[in-house]
Short mmCIF file of all heavy atoms in Angstrom, two decimals:
data_model
loop_
_atom_site.label_atom_id
_atom_site.label_comp_id
_atom_site.label_asym_id
_atom_site.label_seq_id
_atom_site.Cartn_x
_atom_site.Cartn_y
_atom_site.Cartn_z
N ASP A 44 91.35 92.27 103.43
CA ASP A 44 90.52 93.40 103.05
C ASP A 44 90.88 93.78 101.62
O ASP A 44 92.00 94.19 101.34
CB ASP A 44 90.75 94.57 104.00
CG ASP A 44 89.90 95.78 103.69
OD1 ASP A 44 89.07 95.72 102.76
OD2 ASP A 44 90.04 96.79 104.40
N LEU A 45 89.95 93.62 100.69
CA LEU A 45 90.22 93.88 99.29
C LEU A 45 90.23 95.37 98.95
O LEU A 45 90.73 95.76 97.90
CB LEU A 45 89.20 93.15 98.41
CG LEU A 45 89.22 91.63 98.52
CD1 LEU A 45 88.09 91.03 97.71
CD2 LEU A 45 90.56 91.08 98.08
N ASN A 46 89.70 96.21 99.83
CA ASN A 46 89.67 97.65 99.55
C ASN A 46 91.07 98.22 99.34
O ASN A 46 91.28 99.04 98.45
CB ASN A 46 88.96 98.41 100.67
CG ASN A 46 87.47 98.18 100.66
OD1 ASN A 46 86.88 98.03 99.59
ND2 ASN A 46 86.86 98.15 101.83
N ASN A 47 92.04 97.80 100.15
CA ASN A 47 93.41 98.29 99.98
C ASN A 47 94.00 97.84 98.65
O ASN A 47 94.74 98.59 98.01
CB ASN A 47 94.29 97.82 101.14
CG ASN A 47 93.91 98.47 102.45
OD1 ASN A 47 93.38 99.57 102.47
ND2 ASN A 47 94.15 97.79 103.54
N ILE A 48 93.70 96.62 98.24
CA ILE A 48 94.18 96.13 96.95
C ILE A 48 93.57 96.93 95.82
O ILE A 48 94.27 97.33 94.88
CB ILE A 48 93.87 94.62 96.81
CG1 ILE A 48 94.65 93.84 97.87
CG2 ILE A 48 94.19 94.13 95.41
CD1 ILE A 48 94.25 92.40 97.97
N TYR A 49 92.27 97.20 95.89
CA TYR A 49 91.60 97.99 94.86
C TYR A 49 92.17 99.40 94.79
O TYR A 49 92.37 99.95 93.70
CB TYR A 49 90.10 98.07 95.12
CG TYR A 49 89.37 96.75 95.01
CD1 TYR A 49 88.25 96.49 95.78
CD2 TYR A 49 89.79 95.75 94.13
CE1 TYR A 49 87.57 95.29 95.68
CE2 TYR A 49 89.12 94.55 94.02
CZ TYR A 49 88.01 94.32 94.80
OH TYR A 49 87.34 93.14 94.70
N LEU A 50 92.46 100.01 95.94
CA LEU A 50 93.04 101.36 95.95
C LEU A 50 94.42 101.39 95.30
O LEU A 50 94.73 102.31 94.54
CB LEU A 50 93.12 101.90 97.38
CG LEU A 50 91.80 102.29 98.02
CD1 LEU A 50 92.00 102.67 99.48
CD2 LEU A 50 91.16 103.45 97.26
N ARG A 51 95.25 100.41 95.57
CA ARG A 51 96.58 100.35 94.95
C ARG A 51 96.48 100.15 93.45
O ARG A 51 97.22 100.77 92.68
CB ARG A 51 97.42 99.24 95.57
CG ARG A 51 97.88 99.61 96.98
CD ARG A 51 98.90 98.66 97.49
NE ARG A 51 100.11 98.75 96.68
CZ ARG A 51 101.11 97.90 96.76
NH1 ARG A 51 101.06 96.90 97.61
NH2 ARG A 51 102.17 98.03 96.00
N LEU A 52 95.56 99.29 93.00
CA LEU A 52 95.37 99.09 91.57
C LEU A 52 94.89 100.37 90.90
O LEU A 52 95.34 100.73 89.81
CB LEU A 52 94.37 97.96 91.30
CG LEU A 52 94.88 96.55 91.55
CD1 LEU A 52 93.73 95.55 91.42
CD2 LEU A 52 95.98 96.20 90.57
N TYR A 53 93.98 101.07 91.54
CA TYR A 53 93.47 102.34 91.01
C TYR A 53 94.60 103.37 90.90
O TYR A 53 94.75 104.03 89.87
CB TYR A 53 92.35 102.87 91.91
CG TYR A 53 91.81 104.20 91.48
CD1 TYR A 53 90.93 104.29 90.41
CD2 TYR A 53 92.18 105.36 92.14
CE1 TYR A 53 90.44 105.52 90.00
CE2 TYR A 53 91.69 106.59 91.75
CZ TYR A 53 90.83 106.67 90.67
OH TYR A 53 90.35 107.88 90.27
N ASP A 54 95.42 103.48 91.95
CA ASP A 54 96.55 104.42 91.92
C ASP A 54 97.52 104.08 90.80
O ASP A 54 98.00 104.98 90.09
CB ASP A 54 97.28 104.41 93.27
CG ASP A 54 96.48 105.06 94.38
OD1 ASP A 54 95.51 105.79 94.07
OD2 ASP A 54 96.81 104.82 95.56
N LYS A 55 97.83 102.81 90.62
CA LYS A 55 98.76 102.42 89.55
C LYS A 55 98.17 102.71 88.18
O LYS A 55 98.88 103.14 87.27
CB LYS A 55 99.12 100.95 89.67
CG LYS A 55 100.06 100.68 90.82
CD LYS A 55 100.55 99.25 90.80
CE LYS A 55 101.47 99.06 91.97
NZ LYS A 55 102.73 98.49 91.61
N ALA A 56 96.86 102.48 88.02
CA ALA A 56 96.21 102.75 86.74
C ALA A 56 96.26 104.25 86.42
O ALA A 56 96.52 104.64 85.28
CB ALA A 56 94.77 102.26 86.76
N VAL A 57 96.05 105.09 87.41
CA VAL A 57 96.12 106.54 87.20
C VAL A 57 97.52 106.95 86.80
O VAL A 57 97.70 107.75 85.87
CB VAL A 57 95.65 107.29 88.47
CG1 VAL A 57 95.96 108.77 88.38
CG2 VAL A 57 94.15 107.07 88.69
N VAL A 58 98.53 106.42 87.45
CA VAL A 58 99.92 106.76 87.12
C VAL A 58 100.24 106.32 85.69
O VAL A 58 100.87 107.07 84.93
CB VAL A 58 100.89 106.10 88.13
CG1 VAL A 58 102.32 106.18 87.65
CG2 VAL A 58 100.74 106.75 89.50
N ILE A 59 99.80 105.14 85.30
CA ILE A 59 100.06 104.64 83.94
C ILE A 59 99.37 105.53 82.91
O ILE A 59 99.95 105.90 81.89
CB ILE A 59 99.62 103.18 83.80
CG1 ILE A 59 100.56 102.28 84.61
CG2 ILE A 59 99.59 102.73 82.35
CD1 ILE A 59 100.08 100.85 84.76
#
Side-chain angles (χ1 to χ4, degrees):
D44 181 2
L45 298 175
N46 287 326
N47 292 333
I48 296 170
Y49 294 149
L50 287 174
R51 287 191 65 191
L52 286 173
Y53 177 77
D54 289 343
K55 286 188 181 232
V57 169
V58 168
I59 290 169

